[in-house]
Amino acid sequence: MSAGAVGSPNGYTTLIVRTLVGQHLLESAVASGKLSVGGGELNLGIIEKLAKKKMARKQE
């Protein structure tokens, strides 16, 4: 799971779940009331742009 504010509405954090274990952890946190989901429009374009930059740096 990855977390960050890039692409998130003000006051929110975006979580990217990468594995089934991460999905279960997220669902458990939401079910127990420790985490809430929602909160507005997510800007996937800026997240994808940042991810591409990171991948390009990794290949250098």
Side-chain angles (χ1 to χ4, degrees), residues 17-40:
V17 178
R18 300 178 186 273
T19 65
L20 188 56
V21 171
Q23 181 66 36
H24 290 296
L25 288 170
L26 176 63
E27 290 170 357
S28 176
V30 171
S32 67
K34 296 183 189 245
L35 188 69
S36 61
V37 295

Side-chain angles (χ1 to χ4, degrees), residues 28-49:
S28 176
V30 171
S32 67
K34 296 183 189 245
L35 188 69
S36 61
V37 295
E41 235 7 78
L42 179 64
N43 184 340
L44 284 178
I46 196 162
I47 294 170
E48 290 172 347
K49 183 178 178 180

